[in-house]
Amino acid sequence: MNKIKVYWKVLKLFWATAIAAELEYRLNFLIAVFSSLTNLTGSIFTLFLFYQTDYTFPGWSWDESLIVLGMFTLLQGISATLLVPNLNRIVEQVQQGTLDFILLKPISSQYWLSLRSLSPWGFSDIIFGLIIIIYASHQLNLNLPNYFLSIITVGFAILSLYSIWFMLGATSIWFVKIYNVTEVLRGLLEAGRYPISAYPAAYRIFFTFVVPVTFLTTVPAETLIGKNQEVWLLFSALLAIFLLIISHCFWQFALRFYTSASS
């Protein structure tokens, strides 16, 4: 219990200092809001074009597809707020040799590296994503239990996405410049804007079993709508736990190859 309190105090200190530092450039927040709104408008317009031409994604109405887009926007905001800034710092610390100081701290290095930074510039995507989800859910008259189950699957999606990002960050111990790899991953995750049924069978298999885009947006959306089977909830939980364990083991393995600045 005492250890949990220590980690909680450290987390509050991390985020308080990170937000204070970022808010020195408040104009960036307005730029981020404008950029998020522009991107979201483009995504909604693209989705509108599909349904305007009487084409529908198999098994998905307009409002249901909006929920998928909302889930994607929400996860995009969480990535911009927590995952991307911390991934960038891992690369910098390996390059500069400051990772040594983190490894000497009396707390988990993975915890430190995963939560040290917080960027408020992703808040706008989180807010816009929630607005879309709430609006579309209201149009569909969804039940309250659906929201609860969906929150659980969104939590699993965040854990899965975090684990993938962190493992990519850990590869900087071998490959200092991982920008190209992260851009490829970003491109693949863009497929989550639309329901997985929008893609051909081969792509559906790839986005389910190779890059788990299905579990990031479509499964949480299906859970919220009420068309999801219990087996997909179980798979989401198992995938999140599996990837989290793998990310921890991979980080411990990567540290064996880390050459500190003092050696």
Side-chain angles (χ1 to χ4, degrees), residues 10-258:
V10 170
L11 180 62
K12 290 193 294 184
L13 181 62
F14 281 167
W15 287 1
T17 55
I19 291 177
E22 292 288 349
L23 289 181
E24 293 181 3
Y25 309 94
R26 298 180 184 180
L27 180 61
N28 289 354
F29 182 74
L30 296 178
I31 296 174
V33 171
F34 178 76
S35 176
S36 298
L37 188 58
T38 302
N39 291 334
L40 183 59
T41 302
S43 298
I44 294 176
F45 180 71
T46 303
L47 190 63
F48 172 77
L49 290 179
F50 281 110
Y51 285 87
Q52 182 69 15
T53 56
D54 295 328
Y55 174 85
T56 59
F57 300 129
W60 292 83
S61 67
W62 162 256
D63 291 315
E64 291 171 345
S65 295
L66 270 182
I67 289 180
V68 177
L69 180 59
M71 291 291 180
F72 172 82
T73 306
L74 174 64
L75 287 179
Q76 186 172 252
I78 292 172
S79 297
T81 302
L82 277 174
L83 304 185
V84 175
N86 285 295
L87 172 65
N88 292 339
R89 288 182 67 90
I90 294 176
V91 177
E92 292 175 4
Q93 286 155 351
V94 171
Q95 289 177 328
Q96 299 170 5
T98 54
L99 182 61
D100 296 13
F101 301 107
I102 296 173
L103 297 176
L104 294 174
K105 302 293 183 183
I107 65 172
S108 167
S109 58
Q110 183 172 353
Y111 179 87
W112 180 290
L113 293 168
S114 302
L115 298 172
R116 177 63 184 86
S117 297
L118 179 74
S119 174
W121 316 135
F123 289 174
S124 54
D125 275 332
I126 294 175
I127 295 172
F128 290 145
L130 290 174
I131 290 173
I132 293 175
I133 293 171
I134 293 172
Y135 166 78
S137 300
H138 177 71
Q139 295 296 111
L140 294 169
N141 296 317
L142 300 180
N143 297 323
L144 187 61
N146 292 20
Y147 286 95
F148 177 72
L149 290 175
S150 182
I151 289 172
I152 294 176
T153 53
V154 169
F156 292 146
I158 293 171
L159 282 178
S160 298
L161 187 60
Y162 154 75
S163 300
I164 295 171
W165 272 111
F166 188 80
M167 285 188 283
L168 276 180
T171 61
S172 62
I173 289 180
W174 294 285
F175 314 105
V176 177
K177 295 183 179 180
I178 61 172
Y179 178 78
N180 292 336
V181 179
T182 59
E183 286 303 303
V184 170
L185 179 61
R186 284 175 187 269
L188 292 174
L189 295 179
E190 288 288 324
R193 290 181 184 270
Y194 309 112
I196 199 65
S197 62
Y199 302 97
Y203 287 88
R204 292 201 296 268
I205 294 173
F206 178 80
F207 288 132
T208 301
F209 299 105
V210 180
V211 180
V213 175
T214 301
F215 295 95
L216 301 182
T217 57
T218 299
V219 170
E222 287 180 336
T223 304
L224 179 58
I225 296 166
K227 61 170 60 176
N228 205 354
Q229 298 178 356
E230 288 77 5
V231 65
W232 287 106
L233 294 175
L234 178 61
F235 283 157
S236 294
L238 292 177
L239 177 66
I241 295 171
F242 173 75
L243 288 176
L244 188 62
I245 293 174
I246 291 297
S247 70
H248 177 73
C249 294
F250 185 74
W251 175 244
Q252 297 302 317
F253 173 75
L255 287 178
R256 298 178 185 177
F257 298 87
Y258 174 65

